[in-house]
């Protein structure tokens, strides 16, 4: 505590958005945090899209996804959209600390799952990008929540085109057979972590694979959710 206080006194953290001092360990000042596009209330607890009175939406009732709930920090809007692009494609890795800290705070005191599984990258994509953006956020959350991080049970076995370039139905087809998972998750409650949820096709494919490996409950933790896939 003393070390943190002295560090803040002599080397104040500048806000990533407005460059003002005293941004704290999330690197965003209170004023800028207040202006962020936080995920709205009244959303479906399963897919996190708008829904009256936080009830399951009609889509999740008619065609339930393989994950059981979704927790999102923000709507995928500016400046979050721009920050995530900088993080993912320009290797602004300091943002992993920001996302991980904010998501850990958002979880608060709610019951936690047994472990976190970050969205796997295919080895070729990992080589091209140099890091797994979901993995880096998961590392931060694992430390903050004292929650095990599972980096080995699930792998991406199929190199697929980027989901953002595909229409909805093609995204679902694109993810068929994309993951494999060791059958070591019997009865476990799993949190899948990804940076952005658009249609949910990738997370749903991973959730299906994880449940096939024995998981009893799967929830999605994402930094941002798009409302218009």
């Amino acid at each position: 505590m003393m070390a943190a206080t002295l560090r803040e006194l002599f080397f104040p953290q500048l806000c990533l958005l407005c460059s003002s001092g005293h941004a704290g360990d999330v690197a965003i000042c209170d004023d800028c945090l207040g202006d962020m596009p936080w995920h709205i209330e009244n959303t479906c607890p399963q897919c996190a899209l708008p829904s009256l009175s936080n009830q399951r939406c009609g889509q999740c009732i008619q065609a339930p996804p393989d994950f059981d709930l979704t927790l999102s920090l923000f709507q995928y809007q500016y400046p979050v959209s721009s920050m995530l692009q900088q993080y993912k494609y320009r290797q602004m890795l300091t943002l992993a600390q920001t996302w991980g800290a904010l998501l850990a705070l958002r979880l608060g005191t709610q019951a936690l799952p047994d472990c976190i599984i970050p969205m796997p990258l295919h080895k070729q994509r990992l080589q091209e990008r140099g890091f797994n953006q979901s993995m880096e956020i998961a590392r931060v959350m694992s430390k903050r929540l004292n929650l095990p991080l599972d980096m080995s049970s699930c792998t991406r076995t199929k190199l697929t085109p980027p989901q953002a370039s595909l229409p909805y139905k093609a995204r679902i087809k694109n993810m068929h057979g994309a993951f494999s998972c060791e059958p070591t998750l019997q009865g476990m409650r799993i949190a899948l972590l990804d940076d952005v949820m658009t249609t949910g096709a990738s997370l749903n494919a991973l959730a299906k694979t994880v449940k096939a490996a024995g998981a009893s409950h799967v929830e999605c933790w994402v930094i941002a959710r798009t409302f218009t896939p």
Side-chain angles (χ1 to χ4, degrees):
M1 290 291 290
M2 180 63 73
T5 301
L6 290 173
R7 185 167 58 250
E8 177 66 17
L9 178 63
F10 292 107
F11 306 100
Q13 171 69 59
L14 298 182
C15 176
L16 291 170
L17 295 175
C18 71
S19 299
S20 65
H22 310 293
D25 65 350
V26 300
I28 302 175
C29 71
D30 289 343
D31 287 341
C32 288
L33 280 174
D35 292 334
M36 299 281 272
W38 295 93
H39 199 78
I40 64 171
E41 297 181 357
N42 294 323
T43 56
C44 171
Q46 194 161 12
C47 71
L49 289 177
S51 180
L52 184 64
S53 301
N54 296 310
Q55 299 297 310
R56 287 181 70 205
C57 67
Q59 179 63 30
C60 285
I61 292 173
Q62 294 175 10
D66 287 282
F67 50 80
D68 300 286
L69 64 87
T70 299
L71 175 70
S72 174
L73 265 180
F74 302 108
Q75 299 175 59
Y76 190 70
Q77 297 177 2
Y78 184 84
V80 171
S81 54
S82 178
M83 294 170 73
L84 282 167
Q85 292 290 317
Q86 294 280 334
Y87 170 59
K88 190 171 181 177
Y89 298 113
R90 297 191 180 181
Q91 298 189 342
M92 194 173 176
L93 294 178
T94 55
L95 277 170
Q97 294 291 331
T98 298
W99 304 135
L102 287 173
L103 192 51
L105 288 171
R106 171 67 177 79
L107 284 162
T109 58
Q110 74 178 55
L112 296 175
D114 296 309
C115 72
I116 305 172
I117 295 180
M119 175 63 68
L121 280 181
H122 189 273
K123 59 183 179 180
Q124 182 174 323
R125 193 80 69 212
L126 180 61
Q127 185 176 19
E128 293 170 354
R129 189 170 298 164
F131 74 107
N132 180 335
Q133 73 277 3
S134 300
M135 177 76 74
E136 298 309 313
I137 299 170
R139 290 184 196 274
V140 176
M141 296 197 67
S142 175
K143 291 179 181 178
R144 285 181 170 266
L145 300 173
N146 193 28
L147 192 61
L149 175 59
D150 186 340
M151 300 184 291
S152 60
S153 289
C154 296
T155 57
R156 192 155 189 159
T157 55
K158 179 181 175 183
L159 181 63
T160 57
Q163 289 287 86
S165 65
L166 301 173
Y168 177 67
K169 290 184 178 179
R171 292 183 187 211
I172 297 174
K173 184 177 180 181
N174 189 43
M175 297 312 300
H176 181 71
F179 303 102
S180 66
C181 189
E182 296 296 327
T184 57
L185 305 174
Q186 192 64 42
M188 293 184 67
R189 298 173 61 85
I190 306 295
L192 305 179
L193 192 144
D194 204 0
D195 55 343
V196 179
M197 187 178 194
T198 304
T199 63
S202 298
L203 282 161
N204 194 58
L206 182 57
K208 183 175 183 177
T209 305
V210 166
K211 282 196 169 177
S216 61
H217 173 90
V218 177
E219 52 194 75
C220 302
W221 295 352
V222 297
I223 305 305
R225 178 69 160 107
T226 62
F227 280 8
T228 52

